[in-house]
Every structure is written in structure tokens, then in C-alpha cells.
Amino acid sequence: MDDRDITGDLDRVLYSADEVAARLAELAAQIDADYAGKELLLVGVLNGAVMVMADLSRAMKSHVQMDWMAISSYGSGTQSSGVVRILKDLTTDISGRHVLVVEDIIDTGLTLSYLISNLLSRNPASLGIMTMFRKPEAARNAVEVGYVGFDIPNEFVVGYGLDYDGRYRNLTSVGTLSKHVYS
Ligand code: 5GP
């Protein structure tokens, strides 16, 4: 679906599907170059990173492998619960592997910090981070993110894998929700 299919639900569109695709193509080229000659394992964080993973991996020209983790962070509201726990673990042994975590969005960085220390304890050869969207608080944090699609304002956004109460993940663009949707 695009924003015309949900008229009135979005307050404003931040990025169109074309803008997201163009930025992803740039990141894919950069990742291809940075990992040239290495076999890369992309680790997608479910559920939000499904779209990013699908589009990033297909925009790349190198072979990649993919695996998935699911971590609880947000409930059905728009505030971070602070609870981080693994709901689904990797099926791959990442010891000695070059790993790139593929994230949809980093807000406080709480989820990512947990993920980084958890994955580092498994002794990968390298651990990189890619996120499609990043909010200001995360940008201020010390967490080093090698690849950022867009730095966005501190607002709750939906679309391109990001949901509100399970909906809007299949929206091709990314935008902020109108107030009436929350109430
Ligand atoms: P953090 O731990 O960085 O605060 O939160 C990261 C997770 O919170 C993301 O993976 C995502 O699931 C959720 N999240 C953070 N900001 C937003 C947002 O603006 N929209 C949506 N739909 N989810 C968000």
C-alpha cells in the first residue's frame, strides 16, 4: 500500500518509496565496497527490518547470507518498554564471521546496545551495524552505526516495515501518523 491507500492516516510523508530505494542503493554500494572479498552475514532484526533486509540484500552485488533475530522492545504503544529479550535467536554460528546487523530504526539505542554485547560475546570476526532510520537520541549515544539511511526527527514513524499496533508495515513510504489514529 502507499499513502493514497490510507488517506488521512498519515500526518506527513517523510520519505517516499523512491527516496528510500535510492538511499538503499547508495548504502548497498558502500557495503559492497567495504566488505569486498569477504563473505558477509546479514542479521536482520525482526519484524521491522524485513523490508530493509529484502531490499538491501537485493541491491547488493556481492554474495551475502542472511539470518534473523527477534527481540522484544516496543509493545503496542509508541514508548520503549525498556524490556529487551530474545524471542528468536540466530540459527547460524557467527564465530569468525563478518556480521552486519540490519535494523529498521534506532530510537534510544537500548535494543541495539543489548544486541551488540550479545553478538560480540559470540566472537564474530567483525560486527557492523546498518539502520534505515535513526532518531536524535541514538545519534547522541556512543553506539557506532556504520551505515545510516536517514537521520529523522524524534517522532513516531510508520511504514517500510515499521508498525503501529501491527499495521502499516506494508506501507511503501515512511511517515508520521495523524493523532486520530492513536486515539
Ligand atoms: P530503541 O531500543 O532504539 O529505543 O528502539 C528500537 C526499536 O523500537 C525499533 O527496532 C522499533 O521496533 C521500535 N521503534 C523505535 N522508534 C520507532 C518508531 O518511530 N516507529 C516504530 N514503528 N517503531 C519504532
Side-chain angles (χ1 to χ4, degrees), residues 45 73-74 80 103-112 135 152 155-158 162-164:
V45 184
S73 50
Y74 272 49
S80 180
E103 276 272 21
D104 46 0
I105 190 164
I106 305 173
D107 181 357
T108 61
L110 190 77
T111 313
L112 187 60
K135 291 190 184 176
I152 63 168
E155 292 176 280
F156 190 79
V157 297
V158 295
L162 293 163
D163 75 310
Y164 171 66

Side-chain angles (χ1 to χ4, degrees), residues 1-100:
M1 59 164 59
D2 66 31
D3 43 290
R4 285 164 304 186
D5 300 313
I6 51 164
T7 322
D9 282 14
L10 287 191
D11 187 29
R12 72 183 201 284
V13 174
L14 292 181
Y15 298 102
S16 68
D18 286 349
E19 287 169 323
V20 169
R23 181 67 186 124
L24 262 187
E26 290 174 355
L27 289 176
Q30 209 183 326
I31 294 167
D32 270 329
D34 291 352
Y35 288 89
K38 295 173 180 158
E39 186 95 4
L40 184 60
L41 175 70
L42 299 177
V43 169
V45 184
L46 293 169
N47 296 316
V50 166
M51 308 297 175
V52 192
M53 180 76 133
D55 289 343
L56 175 75
S57 60
R58 286 179 298 172
M60 288 179 65
K61 301 196 186 304
S62 327
H63 286 291
V64 288
Q65 292 176 24
M66 293 177 226
D67 203 346
W68 301 91
M69 279 182 91
I71 292 171
S72 73
S73 50
Y74 272 49
S76 60
T78 61
Q79 293 298 306
S80 180
S81 64
V83 177
V84 180
R85 96 197 136 91
I86 294 180
L87 304 176
K88 183 222 169 286
D89 207 345
L90 296 174
T91 53
T92 315
D93 176 5
I94 64 165
S95 143
R97 302 288 310 269
H98 293 285
V99 175
L100 182 66

